[in-house]
Amino acid sequence: MPDRTDYKNKWQKENVDRVNLIMPKGQKAKIQDYAKSRGESLSGFINRAIAETMDRDQSHKP
């Protein structure tokens, strides 16, 4: 019988993509603290930052 981890892994495989992000040492903690201060997770903040940047860049297309 599948356990909770099996269910979670199956769901993630079907519903999300993963990205390995590399940044300077110490930057992750700064971003996590900032995101937490805004009530967001690290992933949520990064996804929002990317989406907002893409929207902004799209509206300023040459």
Side-chain angles (χ1 to χ4, degrees), residues 34-47:
Y34 181 80
K36 185 176 180 181
S37 76
R38 315 255 319 157
E40 291 182 275
S41 68
L42 178 62
S43 287
F45 171 73
I46 291 170
N47 279 302

Side-chain angles (χ1 to χ4, degrees), residues 6-54:
D6 293 332
Y7 173 79
K8 180 181 155 187
N9 290 341
K10 182 180 183 297
W11 185 90
Q12 286 184 350
K13 185 176 181 180
E14 294 171 354
N15 293 282
V16 298
D17 290 324
R18 291 190 166 271
V19 174
N20 185 17
L21 178 63
I22 298 170
M23 60 186 63
K25 192 78 166 172
Q27 190 71 10
K28 178 182 173 185
K30 289 178 186 176
I31 297 169
Q32 278 178 314
D33 291 345
Y34 181 80
K36 185 176 180 181
S37 76
R38 315 255 319 157
E40 291 182 275
S41 68
L42 178 62
S43 287
F45 171 73
I46 291 170
N47 279 302
R48 182 174 63 80
I50 291 168
E52 288 179 5
T53 300
M54 290 174 68

